[in-house]
Amino acid sequence: MNNSKDIIIIGSGPAGLSVGNHLSNKDFLILESLAEPGGLMRSKYINGYTFDWAGHIFFTKIERVKKWVELLLGDNLHWQDRESWVFSKNVFTRYPFQANTFGLPKQVIKECLMGLIDVTFNRQSTQITNFEEWILKTYGQGIATHFMLPYNRKLWARDLKTMDHHWLEGRVPQPGLEDFVDGALGPGRKDMGPNSRFGYPLKGGMRSLVEKLVSPIRDHIITHSQCTRIHPEKHRIQLHNGQEYSYGSLVLTCPLTDILTMLDEYHTELKSVIPQLNFVSVLCVNVGIHKPDLTDKHWIYFPESEFLFHRVFVQANASPHVCPDNCFSYTAEITYNDQKKVDFQQAGKQTVEGLLKAGLLKSMDDVDVIDLINIPVAYIVPTHDRQILVSKIREWLSAHDIHLVGRFAEWAYYNMDHALDAGWTLVSKL
């Protein structure tokens, strides 16, 4: 094998596979540390059930990515209108909470309305400095208290004052008073937000998309190949087995924290940045149930602390072909970090108990499968200094023909479509 390549790509998640798919007539290689490509787009098949690495759906405003995914999946891409809900105060309300309080206790609705009126007519010109301030000044005290603050503290497992707020642009619906009143007097709108209509593969889970991305570049991918050392001046990398490769350009898609540990001993100034890069881990609890049609919802948010999970993705409703006949499935997501611990041995039992409490499961005896998937680096935390730190690292690496792409390498809040697009865009710069 030729151990010298024009371009070497570390990691075969959506960003890395996108780069490979758009490198026409280039001598390139994709090195993947795991047994199969796909990153977090992989799927797991257990006793006839299909589960993804966390709840995955496809939606985008990026037209070229939409056309590409539609071309890749063809008839296997199944589009649906979203049924997204919140469970709090022992009541299901439509998502987004801030526009759908119908059914909640009257006092809760009143507090949410009065808070929204206050911030609407008494907006202050003072600059917003953090995520918690943004919540309070955008929605008011009521919505903040009853959903926004507890949910986001549970999700991010940290003080929200330590987080920036600019990453929220275009991601979180900001309804006005009229929307709020409509959603308090009746069921309200269910089409707010960028993912009100989404796609998902009919068969095979998200792995089916990975297979389509892998197919044209399969001969360029080597699995079980973990990069352990980067030598920037020599344009060489070293793998866990001692094998070395030289490159013209190096594309990195793995977590930035891992990248910095790969740099050799001459670059300790960059390694000092690692403790300042914050992330949240996710434990997914997959539950297969031998009862059909337990809910018509697609995913549900749980802000209250009595539930271990912050969100439940109704895997069974993503496609009619992800469960055995007359069965159902859920994926519950649980965040954790050094401050918020999770007992893995109890997580399955506690998840099933939570599903029972919310009425999403009738009996523990109906459970066929309880399976855990651990994602050590799942959500990038948008801290105040994140962009400055990443820019500093990117500038140094770019000078050595090393490029960062994707959620984890760019240390950015990317969805799948952003990762696919970022890989495509990088190719034009290489």
Side-chain angles (χ1 to χ4, degrees), residues 392-409:
K392 175 184 175 183
I393 296 166
R394 187 194 292 273
E395 182 179 355
W396 190 93
L397 293 175
S398 295
H400 293 80
D401 295 305
I402 301 174
H403 307 274
L404 305 176
V405 66
R407 173 193 287 197
F408 300 115

Side-chain angles (χ1 to χ4, degrees), residues 179-218:
D179 290 317
F180 181 92
V181 171
D182 287 343
L185 297 177
R189 290 175 52 187
K190 67 176 185 177
D191 61 348
M192 284 188 180
N195 58 9
S196 59
R197 186 165 176 80
F198 70 93
Y200 187 86
L202 270 174
K203 296 181 179 180
M206 276 299 167
R207 182 175 174 180
S208 62
L209 177 56
V210 171
E211 290 171 352
K212 292 293 185 179
L213 290 166
V214 166
S215 180
I217 57 173
R218 192 178 302 276

